Structure formats: structure tokens, C-alpha cells
Amino acid sequence: MWFQNPLMITILLASLLLFLSQTHAQNSPQDYLAAHNRARAGVGVGPMVWSDTVAAYAQAYAQERSKDCAMVHSTGPYGENIAAGYYPEFSGADAVKLWVDEKPKYDYASNSCIRGDCGHYTQVVWRTSVRLGCSRVSCPKLSQFVVCNYDPPGNYIGERPYASPL
């Protein structure tokens, strides 16, 4: 029997530990903060801090979206970025990378997006958004929904996300 074979038990346990580590990897508050704060430091904006209050809001909204992963904003009191990944390993860090990858589409001189959307990026680096809360949930068909909320919100028309480019 396989359960009497020490090698098979070791392989099974190693596989289980690998699976568990992958499902929680890059989804901790520190992972979200690190990804945001790297982007912010790149343009001279101070770091954000984790807010349990903002995170609770993000978690509640993510739970609502867990039924369908619909790309619909909560329209709540915070700034918000959302993303969905259609593979089980899509992490919170992957979502933040998608948002930060919009940086080349933001033109500081005109304070506008060129060649597509850049509003996720500008929210990440918005100088007055200092508290962050994020959540990730699984949805049907192996998709993941990630939401990050920002307090206070940013992306105000006519305002720049940061003082000047480095």
C-alpha cells in the first residue's frame, strides 16, 4: 500500500506543503505593501501603511465578488483597484504588478494617460493615499479576484499623483 511506503508519504507531504505555500504566497499584507511601496519610492512618494479598517472593507467587498469575479468597483469611500486572474496562482502581488505596469502609459507633463489606461498606476502612487487594505478571494472556474483600497482616495481630475518625477 502507498501509505506504508515512507517515500510516497514524503512526496505526498512535500506536495501538500508546496501547494499550501503557493496558495498563500504573495498575498500577505507585507506583500501588498512591498509592491506598492516599491512603485511609490520610484517616484519619490512615501510609503503606505496597512490599515485593518481598510482591509476589512476590501475583504467584505471581495467576498461579495467571490460568486462571480465581476470587474465591478464597490463605489465605496476609498480609492480602489481591482483585478482578476484566471489561474489559481494569481496572487495579490501579481495584481499590483499589473497596475504598476501601467506606468509607461502615464505622461507626467500632460498629467494624462497616453496609449491606454493608467488610472490603476496613478492610484498606487497617489501621494496622499497613505493607508492600504487589500484582499484576494477565489471564484468559480479557478479565477481569483483581488481588490486593494486606498485611504484617502486619489485620482482626482486635474491633480497630479505626485509632486515631480525623479
Side-chain angles (χ1 to χ4, degrees):
M1 299 304 258
W2 70 268
F3 55 85
Q4 293 175 335
N5 182 334
L7 179 60
M8 290 303 293
I9 291 172
T10 302
I11 292 171
L12 179 64
L13 287 175
S15 298
L16 179 61
L17 288 174
L18 178 62
F19 170 76
L20 290 174
S21 69
Q22 288 176 341
T23 57
H24 296 292
Q26 302 178 335
N27 295 306
S28 73
Q30 295 79 16
D31 295 321
Y32 287 106
L33 280 170
H36 278 80
N37 288 337
R38 274 192 303 275
R40 293 167 69 85
V43 293
V45 176
M48 301 186 88
V49 297
W50 190 259
S51 166
D52 289 337
T53 302
V54 179
Y57 180 87
Q59 178 62 37
Y61 186 63
Q63 281 305 124
E64 283 183 41
R65 292 275 60 97
S66 68
K67 299 169 194 75
D68 58 14
C69 272
M71 297 299 291
V72 177
H73 284 281
S74 69
T75 67
Y78 302 113
E80 185 170 83
N81 280 338
I82 57 176
Y86 296 95
Y87 52 96
E89 299 84 17
F90 184 77
S91 69
D94 291 332
V96 178
K97 182 182 181 323
L98 288 176
W99 303 328
V100 171
D101 284 351
E102 292 178 357
K103 181 179 182 177
K105 299 175 184 175
Y106 176 66
D107 179 57
Y108 186 84
S110 66
N111 191 32
S112 63
C113 299
I114 53 173
R115 299 182 310 275
D117 186 26
C118 67
H120 303 99
Y121 167 72
T122 55
Q123 178 60 81
V124 167
V125 298
W126 199 266
R127 71 191 172 289
T128 58
S129 294
V130 295
R131 287 172 293 282
L132 178 68
C134 302
S135 186
R136 173 182 169 269
V137 294
S138 294
C139 303
K141 299 182 184 175
L142 299 178
S143 58
Q144 308 298 318
F145 182 83
V146 176
V147 58
C148 285
N149 290 106
Y150 304 84
D151 185 37
N155 279 342
Y156 293 111
I157 295 172
E159 292 185 30
R160 295 184 189 279
Y162 48 88
S164 64
L166 292 178

